[in-house]
Amino acid sequence: MTNKEYESYYVPNQSHWPIVGAVALFMIAFGAGNYVTDLSKQESGYGGYLLLAGIALVVYMLVGWFSDVINESLAGKYSHQMDNSFRQGMSWFIFSEVMFFAAFFGALLYLRVFSIPWLGGAGNNVETGAVLWPEFKAIWPLIKTPDGTTTTAMGWYGLPLINTVLLLTSSVTAHFAHSALIKNNRSQLKAWLGITILLGLAFMFFQVQEYAHGYSEEMRLFLDSGVYGNTFYLLTGFHGMHVTLGCIMLIVMWLRVLKGHFTPENHFAFQAASWYWHFVDVVWVMLFVFVYIL
Amino acid sequence: MTTDVIEQDSHDEHHDDSHEHGKMTGIKRWLYTTNHKDIGTLYLWFAFIMFLTGGAMAMVIRAELFQPGLQLVEPDFFNQLTTVHGLIMVFGAIMPAFTGFANWMLPMMLGAPDMALPRMNNWSFWILPFAFAILLGSFFMESGAPNFGWTFYAPLSTTYSNGSTAFFVFAVHIMGISSIMGAINIVVTIMNLRAPGMTYMKMPLFVWTFFITAYLLIAVMPVLAGVVTMLLTDTYFGTSFFDAAGGGDPVMFQHIFWFFGHPEVYIMILPAFGIVSTIIPAFSRKRLFGYSSMVYATSSIALLSFIVWAHHMFTTGMPLFGELFFMYCTMLIAVPTGVKVFNWVATMWRGSLSFETPMLFSIAFVILFTIGGFSGLMLAMTPVDFQYHDTYFVVAHFHYVLVTGSLFSIYAGAYYWLPKWTGHMYNDTLSKWHFWCSLISVNLLFFPMHFLGLAGMPRRIPDYALQFADFNKWVSIGGFAFGLSQLIFLAVVIKCIRGGEKAPAKPWDGAIGLEWTVASPAPYHTFSTPPPQKDIDNADQHEH
């Protein structure tokens, strides 16, 4: 019988955080629904405030929930098996994020491989091209849409290249921070993690610059500039949101390191934030290749 | 065996006392709970309430279609009803019901103390009532509820939307968050919380089907989130993903949607396979025939589900290669599905059968789901589908697999485990009434739809040509009868909770599984220490 070696699995007490989180998500969804609906009618309503209140409540919930978890962890209530549950949970969460981006990359590839050539008359669509939009040229980046909206393509050199270097470097420094944690070298850990955060913030800064450049009169690359602008802003935008989230995670980890949390054996939260950061980095490499270069 | 059960019971009760937290009282018990049994109960009741809500909409739909001409509702409201009926039944009834089963049964079947992430489990549930409050609330808004079909094809949901798209999109977003967290919890529980000695191939097939279903959910719910996001930006922020004028393609919407949608239909049927594979052996007094082949068949169906999506779109003008590829891949699915059906039949073969209500629903499942499977094969044939597409034949097909398939399995499972959940036996006479009324009325309801579809009656219309009148009358009568029959189930469940014959730990003599080694009703906390190895060996579904 294996009972001897069995560590008991911690089943937490009742908690009010989940219901707070559910109410917060309701406020976000209902608020955003109202906000967007009002926006389309050019009216103003309470939707935006509800949305912001919901976001504030989510932040409050996350802080409370995570501090409960951190306290339980510091109190030594978590077994090795519990740690495994967290790790596996985080891995599957990242997998779900991969699939979320896959939907947008799938859309990008479909547009480039099928819909734009077909609009230009490829395959058995000769009539479509000739009758609907005879002037339309099937090229990528699509700088002129079938209905005549024009725009400019964002080059891969300059800011995007700098950002690629920044983010790739930050993945390496995140790895150094993790190694330092395992070697229990706290000062190196603080330094490398700090550098990672700075690189992430720099990336976000340049991303904002790039958007400002895109929206300038010179480029006129807008969210609604046909499918090139659509895919460009949706993909880089969702990536940017994930970088922001990743940065917040890393900053929280840095603060926890300053407070003396994490040991070489026990640092799930740090590991999770670092996995997330690497994931964000890999998505950027895909973006750089498929959105900017090709 | 009996002594084992008693030992286990006293053991658990003892442990229950020493555990640091018991139930809270009143509403707080349900709002704050981290207990898998409480959360399972919440999911099951929520699903049943949603089922009655969606069912009420179906009643209005059938009343309108009772005779030709416009009788009761405006065509636009009719569209809202068909749309929300579909959304509620898929996301609000069938999926939460299965999640309820998973919550109740997985920890007990695996010998685990609870789900792996109990607080997140609570969060997953409580998001759902809010999501559906938004969806149902849109009936009372200026725009009205979504009216573009549960598949929300662009441009119906973008350019021609009645203004409900934003609420719909955000409701789907938070439903998706709920499903993904629920699925992650299921996967992690199964991977990490199996009792020592329970290897993957010793898990009950029920657990396997939920394992694979949860993978599918984690893989495709984010794709749904992606496609509704593009829908949102197309409708409100000027993008043209699904608009040819900006370089997009409305057909791309269908591709992305069905890349989610086809695995989704297996999400709604694989757990049914698991439930039926538990019940048929129990009432045949035999082990499940071909346990391993069942595991491989379920996995194959799941993998194939990712490469068949465009069989929903044969009439969109895909290139010929695409039509053939998706046709052949779809037909391939009949192979693992056939393996399953033959295994269930082989399990019954020369078994010592008895026909308690769970078994009746399971046998009905095998026969009627197979009918739905065969009509699916007919629809899989590209040239034939050109004729059947968007007719009542399609409606008949997916109601056979979803109602007499998924829903019947849910009833079978509910009757099978009600004694374990409530501690009482259900009223046998009433349950038989529920079964026979449902069985007869459901076939009256859905079988004639095949003929209507073959004769060319389109789906999603409030009025129809005169030659369809007779069949529609009978279909509507079947529909009302089926709807009323479900109230018998409500009565059975309420009576069973309030009292009835006391259920022993193992009310079914042929049942195997760790859940029968604990008392009925199951103690609030089970398996705080893992079950003994011999119980795990006894629960093995392999033939010996």
Side-chain angles (χ1 to χ4, degrees):
Chain A
M1 195 46 232
T2 45
N3 267 3
K4 288 191 285 292
E5 34 197 282
Y6 182 80
E7 296 175 287
S8 83
Y9 192 87
Y10 178 70
V11 178
N13 279 315
Q14 286 86 351
S15 166
H16 65 285
W17 295 119
I19 187 72
V20 172
V23 171
L25 283 185
F26 169 75
M27 287 161 73
I28 290 176
F30 192 65
N34 269 307
Y35 178 71
V36 171
T37 306
D38 288 343
L39 204 66
S40 69
K41 294 185 213 155
Q42 296 181 331
E43 291 168 4
S44 61
Y46 59 89
Y49 301 109
L50 195 59
L51 173 61
L52 289 175
I55 291 170
L57 194 57
V58 159
V59 172
Y60 169 70
M61 180 275 288
L62 286 174
V63 170
W65 188 330
F66 282 126
S67 59
D68 278 3
V69 172
I70 290 166
N71 290 333
E72 287 163 10
S73 171
L74 293 177
K77 288 184 177 170
Y78 290 170
S79 60
H80 177 67
Q81 197 184 10
M82 188 83 197
D83 199 53
N84 258 340
S85 290
F86 284 146
R87 277 162 201 269
Q88 288 172 1
M90 186 68 192
S91 320
W92 290 112
F93 169 65
I94 290 178
F95 173 65
S96 78
E97 292 269 46
V98 169
M99 292 307 293
F100 181 70
F101 276 99
F104 296 110
F105 277 108
L108 175 67
L109 293 181
Y110 185 92
L111 291 168
R112 291 181 58 172
V113 177
F114 298 114
S115 76
I116 289 172
W118 286 349
L119 285 170
N124 56 0
N125 302 282
V126 182
E127 292 294 316
T128 314
V131 175
L132 281 176
W133 291 291
E135 304 294 306
F136 177 67
K137 286 198 180 51
I139 47 161
W140 189 266
L142 189 71
I143 47 171
K144 188 171 182 207
T145 64
D147 66 358
T149 313
T150 55
T151 185
T152 336
M154 188 68 79
W156 61 268
Y157 40 85
L159 285 179
L161 185 62
I162 295 171
N163 264 347
T164 309
V165 174
L166 287 176
L167 217 51
L168 284 176
T169 316
S170 78
S171 230
V172 176
T173 56
H175 178 71
F176 286 165
H178 190 214
S179 305
L181 174 56
I182 288 172
K183 279 183 271 174
N184 208 14
N185 189 335
R186 305 291 290 195
S187 53
Q188 270 198 23
L189 166 62
K190 281 173 211 163
W192 284 122
L193 191 54
I195 293 170
T196 310
I197 294 166
L198 290 178
L199 288 169
L201 293 173
F203 173 91
M204 283 158 64
F205 174 77
F206 285 126
Q207 185 78 50
V208 172
Q209 296 289 308
E210 189 193 5
Y211 276 16
H213 182 50
Y215 264 75
S216 67
E217 275 309 302
E218 179 196 346
M219 281 200 72
R220 300 188 55 78
L221 176 57
F222 307 123
L223 175 64
D224 55 2
S225 303
V227 286
Y228 177 73
N230 303 163
T231 51
F232 176 83
Y233 282 110
L234 225 63
L235 274 160
T236 56
F238 274 114
H239 177 263
M241 279 162 64
H242 283 75
V243 173
T244 313
L245 188 60
C247 265
I248 294 170
M249 285 185 192
L250 290 177
I251 291 169
V252 173
M253 292 310 125
W254 196 64
L255 295 173
R256 287 188 62 188
V257 168
L258 292 186
K259 281 186 77 175
H261 291 187
F262 306 128
T263 62
E265 298 79 33
N266 206 346
H267 52 264
F268 159 72
F270 182 91
Q271 179 93 66
S274 139
W275 280 346
Y276 197 77
W277 194 251
H278 291 311
F279 151 73
V280 163
D281 196 19
V282 171
V283 173
W284 176 260
V285 173
M286 300 285 287
L287 274 177
F288 190 58
V289 173
F290 289 105
V291 176
Y292 290 95
I293 296 182
L294 289 181
Chain B
M1 189 61 213
T2 325
T3 45
D4 290 348
V5 168
I6 290 161
E7 268 168 29
Q8 186 65 40
D9 293 350
S10 53
H11 182 72
D12 278 318
E13 274 159 29
H14 165 73
H15 206 89
D16 204 20
D17 297 335
S18 65
H19 214 279
E20 61 184 303
H21 52 95
K23 290 173 209 172
M24 282 178 143
T25 48
I27 186 81
K28 278 187 179 172
R29 169 179 174 191
W30 304 105
L31 287 179
Y32 297 165
T33 185
T34 50
N35 182 284
H36 71 100
K37 298 185 183 80
D38 283 350
I39 296 170
T41 304
L42 286 169
Y43 266 113
L44 288 168
W45 273 112
F46 176 76
F48 193 64
I49 292 166
M50 282 296 119
F51 172 69
L52 294 180
T53 313
M57 293 172 190
M59 295 299 105
V60 180
I61 292 169
R62 280 325 313 176
E64 173 61 49
L65 294 173
F66 188 75
Q67 61 184 53
L70 293 177
Q71 259 74 239
L72 293 170
V73 292
E74 293 296 308
D76 179 57
F77 187 64
F78 184 90
N79 287 342
Q80 297 178 22
L81 286 176
T82 52
T83 303
V84 181
H85 164 77
L87 289 167
I88 282 194
M89 291 308 199
V90 169
F91 295 105
I94 300 291
M95 285 169 67
F98 281 135
T99 319
F101 275 96
N103 267 298
W104 249 103
M105 303 318 299
L106 288 182
M108 289 210 283
M109 287 183 166
L110 293 167
D114 205 291
M115 296 294 277
L117 304 160
R119 274 178 291 226
M120 196 171 87
N121 202 11
N122 181 352
W123 198 21
S124 312
F125 170 75
W126 276 108
I127 292 171
L128 281 182
F130 289 112
F132 282 91
I134 297 176
L135 188 65
L136 288 170
S138 58
F139 271 113
F140 306 101
M141 291 173 195
E142 204 183 329
S143 58
N147 63 356
F148 27 71
W150 87 273
T151 50
F152 51 99
Y153 278 8
L156 291 175
S157 52
T158 55
T159 317
Y160 304 108
S161 161
N162 59 355
S164 58
T165 302
F167 288 106
F168 163 77
V169 166
F170 289 115
V172 168
H173 269 309
I174 61 175
M175 265 175 230
I177 292 173
S178 157
S179 290
I180 290 169
M181 290 196 301
I184 288 178
N185 219 338
I186 288 172
V187 168
V188 175
T189 304
I190 295 171
M191 288 179 72
N192 201 26
L193 262 66
R194 280 169 290 124
M198 183 174 285
T199 56
Y200 280 110
M201 290 310 272
K202 275 192 179 176
M203 297 193 308
L205 197 80
F206 178 95
V207 178
W208 260 110
T209 54
F210 277 86
F211 194 30
I212 293 167
T213 303
Y215 275 116
L216 289 180
L217 273 169
I218 304 175
V220 301
M221 287 311 281
V223 176
L224 176 68
V227 76
V228 294
T229 305
M230 288 185 254
L231 201 71
L232 183 82
T233 58
D234 262 22
T235 314
Y236 297 100
F237 298 103
T239 61
S240 31
F241 288 105
F242 310 129
D243 179 4
D249 186 352
V251 174
M252 182 171 84
F253 171 86
Q254 299 183 26
H255 278 292
I256 306 176
F257 173 78
W258 285 113
F259 183 82
F260 147 79
H262 202 76
E264 169 69 19
V265 306
Y266 293 140
I267 287 164
M268 291 189 286
I269 200 64
L270 295 184
F273 294 164
I275 292 171
V276 168
S277 303
T278 312
I279 293 172
I280 287 182
F283 296 101
S284 309
R285 278 95 186 154
K286 280 175 68 188
R287 299 282 156 142
L288 181 66
F289 185 89
Y291 169 89
S292 314
S293 67
M294 285 293 218
V295 172
Y296 299 132
T298 313
S299 315
S300 317
I301 293 174
L303 287 176
L304 284 171
S305 75
F306 285 105
I307 51 167
V308 296
W309 76 86
H311 64 216
H312 297 268
M313 314 162 45
F314 282 145
T315 57
T316 54
M318 267 186 292
L320 183 66
F321 173 80
E323 310 237 323
L324 293 177
F325 173 83
F326 287 109
M327 173 170 92
Y328 289 127
C329 287
T330 305
M331 292 190 158
L332 263 183
I333 292 182
V335 177
T337 312
V339 168
K340 286 176 165 297
V341 173
F342 282 118
N343 280 347
W344 292 320
V345 175
T347 306
M348 286 189 270
W349 176 251
R350 293 189 166 174
S352 169
L353 271 69
S354 61
F355 298 97
E356 284 84 348
T357 312
M359 184 63 164
L360 289 174
F361 270 107
S362 299
I363 294 173
F365 169 92
V366 174
I367 296 165
L368 298 176
F369 170 76
T370 305
I371 293 179
F374 280 135
S375 59
L377 269 178
M378 292 169 74
L379 288 163
M381 291 183 262
T382 309
V384 178
D385 182 73
F386 284 1
Q387 170 75 17
Y388 301 159
H389 185 85
D390 260 351
T391 66
Y392 259 81
F393 191 83
V394 178
V395 179
H397 158 69
F398 69 71
H399 281 95
Y400 262 87
V401 288
L402 275 175
V403 179
T404 59
S406 307
L407 180 67
F408 270 31
S409 83
I410 289 168
Y411 282 141
Y415 282 117
Y416 185 65
W417 283 299
L418 262 176
K420 180 58 63 188
W421 294 341
T422 64
H424 303 121
M425 299 304 290
Y426 54 81
N427 183 315
D428 193 53
T429 316
L430 269 183
S431 74
K432 295 259 161 66
W433 271 99
H434 174 223
F435 171 73
W436 288 107
C437 289
S438 297
L439 182 77
I440 294 165
S441 58
V442 85
N443 282 294
L444 182 60
L445 166 58
F446 294 125
F447 206 78
M449 286 186 182
H450 291 111
F451 306 128
L452 284 169
L454 292 177
M457 177 169 162
R459 62 190 282 209
R460 291 171 172 165
I461 49 159
D463 188 11
Y464 47 83
L466 288 178
Q467 68 266 31
F468 303 129
D470 287 350
F471 274 136
N472 266 296
K473 183 177 73 187
W474 287 108
V475 166
S476 286
I477 290 170
F480 302 142
F482 184 72
L484 288 174
S485 311
Q486 305 324 302
L487 299 177
I488 307 175
F489 179 71
L490 182 63
V492 174
V493 173
I494 291 174
K495 274 173 76 87
C496 186
I497 292 170
R498 295 167 64 99
E501 191 195 329
K502 185 97 186 63
K506 196 172 101 157
W508 318 115
D509 59 313
I512 57 169
L514 289 173
E515 74 266 34
W516 307 112
T517 65
V518 302
S520 299
Y524 199 57
H525 294 285
T526 34
F527 299 121
S528 302
T529 53
Q533 184 66 43
K534 67 174 185 318
D535 284 358
I536 293 173
D537 293 338
N538 284 338
D540 188 354
Q541 274 187 302
H542 284 89
E543 289 179 287
H544 297 301

